[in-house]
């Protein structure tokens, strides 16, 4: 039997059992579209993370306490003097930024908000590249004199002052009064985290406020990307000499990207596999409906065999029917998946990215489900004994 | 006349639970080209089983059935299907037409399994429908046809591949007597004009009486095989081929 003939018979049978066909197609649609949406979320997240890491620039070295290969960074033993030592290794103090951060209550008049307060050096803005929307960033004098001045993230500014300009106004951080020096240009949301929900104050002021002498981490903007590995080694060696019982690590953008890439591969895989389960369930539905269809059409199968259909003809006919069922479900599922992805992008904070390969994969899997879950019923139909088949009512 | 189907000591047993039930207990029979035979006998005598063996729908559990030179016991499923398609035409009591398919496409169905192109299938099917007097009904669905018309569609379908033998199981069983007579007229005309052998299983003595050769079965055996042309009656426990 030619494929065209098999398709014609399959269409006829599927149209004849409209409701059943519709429900089975719906199952496949849901499976395919959920695979698509979840892969789109995985890919969107990957793109956003990669984009954010890219913003750091390829010549940035992050110096953190502990060994990153082992796990999470440990509590820092670095001091301000270590920052100066690293600056000497680098040869340019303006290229070495340092910070210590803590979650604190920030208040303007009656309005309060809990936010991340980072104590930083005045070069933080240039090393990590941040734009100021209003006022000015922290100055060298602010750091040297441990002044109580603050630069607000866009969200903190909006929460505390609404539309009015906060520059020059008074706020309290952990109960201590500060003057607002400036406001950052907004960075926006990333992965559900508000990157504008922060306040920068001078590192020296922060150490007093937090009653600590520690520095959490350093960021070094290298001039020569080629010499970065060597520079990193020299920094780690210097810090190791100053703190013999502590470990330090240097990470670059490439390393972050590769680690995050691995994590996101797992994330996308888990999301896709979860959705794949619904596709699998829809496949079981296809099997089930094909078995019902074959039982109903036992007489037809008997007759076809009587007039000369070979077992392979019957198998091909029902396999075609199953694949047609899931392919139609696949195409409609792709349409639904695109619509659902657009909705997720618009109405949730989750980033999405539709790629050609995920659409192709979804359709391929749907058609594959038809083959895999159609084979058993098709073989069963092919093996039917024509004599009893013709006798069924 | 040469043999279209040779049955030698064919037996067919069914397993029902733990017991074996013998439907046929050693039957020998030759269906010749152009034959017109009726198989009669009480229910359970093995008539339908014999017909299924003759048509290669089923295989004997012992003995042999050779259709057009092919031993059905040894050929594979696919080959057996090919033999059914080329040598045999079936007509069933219940017509077995596809309800959602036009008379024309019902008739064309066997040609699908012969790899004939659609346009050619329809052309040949239309020819067959005309031959059974239903040219005007080609586009009708089976439900829009009378019982007699439906059975004629089934006959057209059985003959569209140009088979050597037409096997009919109670072809008039669902028809009133006028439609039944009309159908037999048609079958006999096809037999005499086109030389297709007819083997009809029937309860109806009137139907059986019209055949040139009557085979009577009882308890899975042929008890008589009478050829009115040669007026010989071989009590066919032995080989019926001798009566030709």
């Amino acid at each position: 039997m030619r494929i065209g003939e098999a398709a014609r018979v399959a269409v006829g049978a599927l149209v004849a059992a409209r409701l059943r066909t519709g429900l089975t197609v719906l199952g496949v649609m849901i499976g395919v579209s959920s695979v698509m949406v979840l892969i789109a979320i995985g890919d969107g997240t990957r793109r956003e993370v990669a984009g954010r890491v890219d913003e750091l620039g390829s010549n940035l070295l992050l110096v953190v306490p502990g060994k990153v290969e082992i796990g999470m960074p440990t509590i820092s033993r670095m001091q301000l003097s270590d920052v100066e030592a690293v600056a000497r290794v680098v040869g340019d103090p303006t290229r070495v930024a340092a910070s210590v951060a803590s979650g604190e209550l920030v208040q303007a008049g009656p309005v309060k908000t809990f936010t991340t307060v980072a104590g930083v050096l005045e070069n933080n803005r240039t090393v990590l590249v941040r734009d100021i929307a209003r006022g000015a960033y922290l100055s060298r004098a602010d750091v040297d004199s441990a002044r109580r001045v603050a630069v607000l993230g866009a969200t903190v500014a909006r929460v505390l002052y609404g539309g009015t300009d906060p520059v020059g106004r008074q706020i309290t951080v952990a109960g201590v009064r500060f003057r607002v020096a400036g406001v950052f240009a907004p960075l926006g949301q990333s992965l559900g985290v508000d990157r504008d929900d922060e306040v920068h104050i001078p590192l020296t002021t922060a150490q007093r406020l937090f009653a600590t002498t520690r520095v959490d981490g350093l960021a070094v903007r290298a001039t020569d990307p080629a010499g970065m590995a060597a520079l990193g080694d020299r920094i780690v060696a210097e810090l190791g000499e100053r703190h013999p019982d502590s470990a330090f690590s240097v990470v670059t953008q490439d390393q972050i990207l590769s680690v995050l890439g691995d994590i996101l591969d797992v994330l996308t895989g888990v999301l896709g596999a979860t959705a794949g389960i619904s596709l699998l369930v829809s496949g079981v539905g296809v099997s089930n409906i094909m078995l019902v269809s074959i039982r109903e059409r036992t007489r037809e199968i008997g007759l076809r065999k009587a007039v000369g259909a070979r077992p392979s003809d019957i198998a091909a006919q029902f396999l075609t029917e199953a694949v047609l069922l899931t392919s139609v479900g696949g195409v409609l599922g792709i349409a639904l998946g695109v619509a659902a992805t657009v909705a997720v992008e618009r109405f949730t904070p989750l980033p999405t990215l539709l790629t050609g390969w995920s659409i192709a994969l979804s359709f391929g899997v749907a058609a594959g489900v038809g083959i895999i879950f159609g084979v058993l019923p098709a073989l069963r139909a092919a093996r039917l004994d024509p004599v009893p088949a013709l006798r069924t009512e | 006349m040469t043999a279209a189907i040779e049955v030698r000591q064919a037996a067919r047993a069914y397993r029902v639970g733990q017991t074996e039930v013998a439907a046929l207990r050693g039957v020998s029979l030759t269906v010749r080209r152009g034959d017109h035979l009726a198989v009669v006998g009480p229910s359970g005598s093995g008539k339908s089983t014999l017909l299924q063996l003759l048509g290669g729908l089923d295989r004997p559990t012992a003995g042999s059935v050779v259709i057009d030179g092919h031993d059905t016991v040894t050929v594979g499923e696919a080959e057996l299907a090919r033999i059914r398609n080329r040598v045999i035409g079936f007509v069933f009591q219940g017509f077995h037409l596809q309800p959602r398919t036009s008379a024309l496409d019902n008739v064309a169905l066997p040609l699908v399994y012969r790899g004939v192109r659609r346009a050619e299938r329809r052309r040949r099917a239309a020819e067959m429908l005309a031959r059974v007097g239903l040219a005007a009904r080609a586009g009708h669905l089976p439900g829009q046809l009378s019982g007699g018309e439906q059975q004629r569609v089934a006959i057209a379908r059985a003959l569209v591949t140009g088979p050597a033998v037409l096997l009919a199981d109670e072809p008039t069983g669902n028809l009133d007597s006028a439609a039944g007579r009309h159908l037999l007229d048609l079958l006999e005309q096809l037999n005499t004009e086109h030389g297709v052998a007819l083997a009809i299983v029937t309860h109806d003595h009137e139907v059986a009486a019209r055949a040139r050769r009557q085979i009577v079965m009882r308890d899975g055996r042929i008890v008589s095989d009478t050829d009115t042309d040669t007026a010989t009656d071989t009590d066919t426990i032995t080989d019926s081929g001798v009566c030709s």
Side-chain angles (χ1 to χ4, degrees), chain B residues 4 54 73 86-87 95 113 116 133 144 190 193 204 209 220 229-230:
Chain B
L54 289 175
V73 176
R86 293 183 178 261
V87 186
F95 319 142
Y113 300 108
V116 178
Q144 299 166 320
L190 293 165
E193 288 178 11
D204 188 333
D229 276 3
T230 51

Side-chain angles (χ1 to χ4, degrees), chain A residues 54-114:
Chain A
D54 266 338
E55 284 173 15
L56 296 174
S58 60
N59 59 344
L60 192 77
L61 293 169
L62 297 175
V63 182
V64 293
K67 285 204 178 297
V68 286
E69 293 84 357
I70 294 171
M72 299 302 288
T74 53
I75 292 294
S76 173
R77 289 193 179 168
M78 285 189 285
Q79 313 283 311
L80 207 47
S81 57
D82 295 314
V83 180
E84 286 154 12
V86 169
R88 281 195 296 278
V89 171
V90 174
D92 181 355
T94 65
R95 297 189 162 275
V96 180
S99 71
V100 58
S102 175
E104 299 293 345
L105 193 66
V106 176
Q107 192 166 356
V111 191
K112 298 174 192 172
T113 181
F114 191 81

Side-chain angles (χ1 to χ4, degrees), chain A residues 1-2 5 8 12-13 16 299-300 303-311 313-314 317 385-387 390-391, chain B residues 14 52 57-58 77-78 81-82 84-85 90 92 94 96 98 100 109-110 112-113 115-118 121 157:
Chain A
M1 185 156 66
R2 289 165 212 278
E5 183 62 27
R8 204 187 339 262
R299 252 164 58 120
E300 175 194 326
L303 177 83
R304 285 178 181 274
K305 287 197 153 188
V307 301
R310 294 163 301 175
D313 292 322
I314 300 292
Q317 180 189 328
D385 186 343
V387 171
L390 281 164
R391 234 183 265 131
Chain B
Y14 295 95
Q52 287 148 13
L57 268 183
D58 196 5
E77 275 290 326
R82 203 189 67 88
R84 287 196 295 266
N85 184 266
F90 286 101
F92 304 96
H96 283 307
Q98 309 287 89
R100 290 184 295 271
L109 182 66
V112 167
Y113 300 108
V116 178
R117 293 207 158 274
R118 192 156 189 246
R121 290 203 301 265
R157 178 181 62 196

Side-chain angles (χ1 to χ4, degrees), chain A residues 65 148 165 306 369 374:
Chain A
R148 297 200 298 273
D165 186 355
V369 161

Side-chain angles (χ1 to χ4, degrees), chain A residues 4 96 129 178 183 187 368:
Chain A
V96 180
V129 192
F178 279 72
V183 179
L187 290 171

Side-chain angles (χ1 to χ4, degrees), chain B residues 5-234:
Chain B
I5 308 171
E6 281 271 5
V7 182
R8 292 195 181 275
Q9 287 303 318
R12 180 67 171 95
Y14 295 95
R15 186 165 275 287
V16 181
Q18 290 297 309
T19 54
E20 284 224 327
V21 179
L24 280 185
R25 303 162 187 270
V27 166
S28 296
L29 167 74
T30 301
V31 178
R32 291 149 299 190
R33 293 180 193 280
D35 228 341
H36 178 192
L37 63 86
V39 182
V40 293
S43 293
S45 60
K47 318 186 285 292
S48 291
T49 305
L50 175 61
L51 202 74
Q52 287 148 13
L53 293 186
L54 289 175
L57 268 183
D58 196 5
R59 307 173 197 243
T61 42
S64 71
V65 174
V66 177
I67 302 173
D68 198 32
H70 304 277
D71 187 342
T72 64
V73 176
T74 55
V75 299
E77 275 290 326
E79 178 62 12
L80 198 55
R82 203 189 67 88
I83 294 166
R84 287 196 295 266
N85 184 266
R86 293 183 178 261
V87 186
I88 307 292
F90 286 101
V91 174
F92 304 96
Q93 179 175 4
F95 319 142
H96 283 307
L97 300 176
Q98 309 287 89
R100 290 184 295 271
T101 307
S102 71
L104 186 71
D105 284 330
N106 263 294
V107 173
L109 182 66
L111 296 174
V112 167
Y113 300 108
R114 202 179 261 202
V116 178
R117 293 207 158 274
R118 192 156 189 246
E120 174 65 11
R121 290 203 301 265
R122 299 190 131 200
R123 194 189 64 71
R124 288 202 221 167
E127 240 177 60
M128 271 331 294
L129 273 179
R131 199 169 297 174
V132 300
L134 287 176
R137 294 270 200 262
H140 287 54
L141 295 178
Q144 299 166 320
L145 302 173
S146 70
E149 287 172 327
Q150 288 188 50
Q151 196 59 302
R152 277 148 67 196
V153 171
I155 288 168
R157 178 181 62 196
L159 294 177
V160 75
T161 55
V165 183
L166 194 148
L167 301 174
D169 195 352
E170 303 280 6
T172 60
N174 283 3
L175 304 179
D176 62 46
S177 54
R181 273 196 300 279
H182 189 69
L183 193 89
L184 289 171
D185 290 344
L186 174 67
L187 286 174
E188 284 160 19
Q189 182 200 339
L190 293 165
N191 173 245
T192 49
E193 288 178 11
H194 303 283
V196 58
L198 285 183
I200 302 173
V201 163
T202 184
H203 271 108
D204 188 333
H205 286 291
E206 264 182 62
V207 173
R210 292 177 62 155
R212 286 197 298 278
R213 182 175 166 199
Q214 278 94 28
I215 294 169
V216 181
M217 294 192 68
R218 186 161 295 124
D219 298 331
R221 289 194 175 91
I222 292 175
V223 293
S224 80
D225 185 345
T226 316
D227 199 325
T228 48
D229 276 3
T230 51
T232 53
D233 185 348
T234 56

